[in-house]
Amino acid sequence: MSALPQSTLDDEERRLATLGRYGVLDTPPEQAFDDLTRLAAQVLGTPIALVSLIDRDRQWFKSRVGIEVCSTPRDMAFCAHAIHGDDVMVVEDALQDPRFANNPLVTGDPFIRFYAGAPLIADDGLALGTLCVIDRQPRRFDATQRETLALLARQVMAQLTLHRQSMHLESLLNDLQERTQLLSQLSNRVPGVIYQYRRFPDGSTCFPYASERMWDMFEVHPEDTQRDAAGVIARVHPQDLEGVLSSIETSYSGLLPWRHEFRVVLPQQGTKWRFGDAVPERLADGSVLWHGFITDITERRLHQERTHRLAYY
């Protein structure tokens, strides 16, 4: 390959990079590819059919019918020639073709005489390999057969694209899971509850997200607030409820930051003081979503009250 022009070498490096992005090399057999390979062999009447991907130094078979080996050296591969064109490459008699007459795959097992390969062309126009059919005797290959092989190759390429998308989605899901775990770990170490509070145009409210500290702050489980915030509102001290609702209304109407101190009455902890701080945003459906946190300020308020009493007396 080193004797090739620089532009050809650059194209080959780009092609190999594209092949790598599909993440399919050396993966286990898959039914979707095997079905298409068997269909190609049956419809076109050949004993061998392959989904061949051209790596740097080898051709590797994602799917194969009629042979046992999973790869061959690239310098023997008919498919290494087929990837340089856009159309189906046909060799009706390899012994009569100077490119392949002395090829070990022609003179020895599997004794190729006929070959037809349709390139598997990626979105960037580069060929990853071929869907090919092979026979051990010379044969003709008409226009209809060429069209059939090209159609099946497009279906193989569609499966390769699905494989790449699935791999990308799995990577995103793994990344999301890691980020979610990190967020959970961080939120559980914050001295308060991190939350989202949503008010819909009809006046209904909920907490789409709340960290586990929701229980510490309100003795309500986070999952119990995802559809209805009533359980949290019910914990607000009756004397402070009007002030809390009024402050939320002001924030809602003017999209102003919400900051408020209030008491809660909890079944296990009794009366406690809380401080809420959140920033609202209006969503496309007209609802408002606050992002914020609520912390325990009971000790501070008790200290303030003691200080006030000492100053008064």
Side-chain angles (χ1 to χ4, degrees), residues 16 23 40 42 46-47 59 62 68 77 82 97 118 166 170 201 208 230-231 242 246 253 275 289 300:
L16 289 170
Q42 291 173 7
T46 61
Q59 66 170 346
K62 173 61 180 172
E68 295 299 323
D97 191 314
S166 176
E170 182 177 357
E242 183 179 351
S246 177
S253 299
F275 169 69
L289 182 68
R300 176 168 68 80

Side-chain angles (χ1 to χ4, degrees), residues 40 44 88 116-118 131-133 141 145-153:
L44 297 172
V88 175
L131 171 65
C132 65
V133 290
F141 207 64
Q145 291 171 313
R146 288 171 183 260
E147 183 179 358
T148 298
L149 185 61
L151 184 153
L152 291 172

Side-chain angles (χ1 to χ4, degrees), residues 80-102:
H81 296 263
I83 62 172
H84 294 301
D86 297 329
D87 299 324
V88 175
M89 186 184 94
V90 177
V91 178
E92 294 185 342
D93 187 347
L95 287 176
Q96 304 303 316
D97 191 314
R99 295 172 297 174
F100 306 112
N102 296 317

Side-chain angles (χ1 to χ4, degrees), residues 3 60 81 97 138 141 158 161 176 178 181 190 223 243 256 262 287 295:
W60 177 79
H81 296 263
D97 191 314
F141 207 64
T161 300
L176 178 60
E178 290 176 2
Q181 290 174 347
V190 172
E223 56 269 22
L256 301 172
F262 57 96
S287 63
T295 56

Side-chain angles (χ1 to χ4, degrees), residues 195-208:
Y195 71 92
Q196 290 179 316
Y197 176 75
R198 187 171 184 178
R199 175 172 166 175
F200 294 91
D202 64 2
S204 61
T205 59
C206 67
F207 288 87

Side-chain angles (χ1 to χ4, degrees), residues 62-80:
K62 173 61 180 172
S63 179
R64 61 190 189 274
V65 169
I67 63 172
E68 295 299 323
V69 298
C70 61
S71 67
T72 67
R74 177 170 173 167
D75 58 8
M76 298 182 187
F78 284 55
C79 297

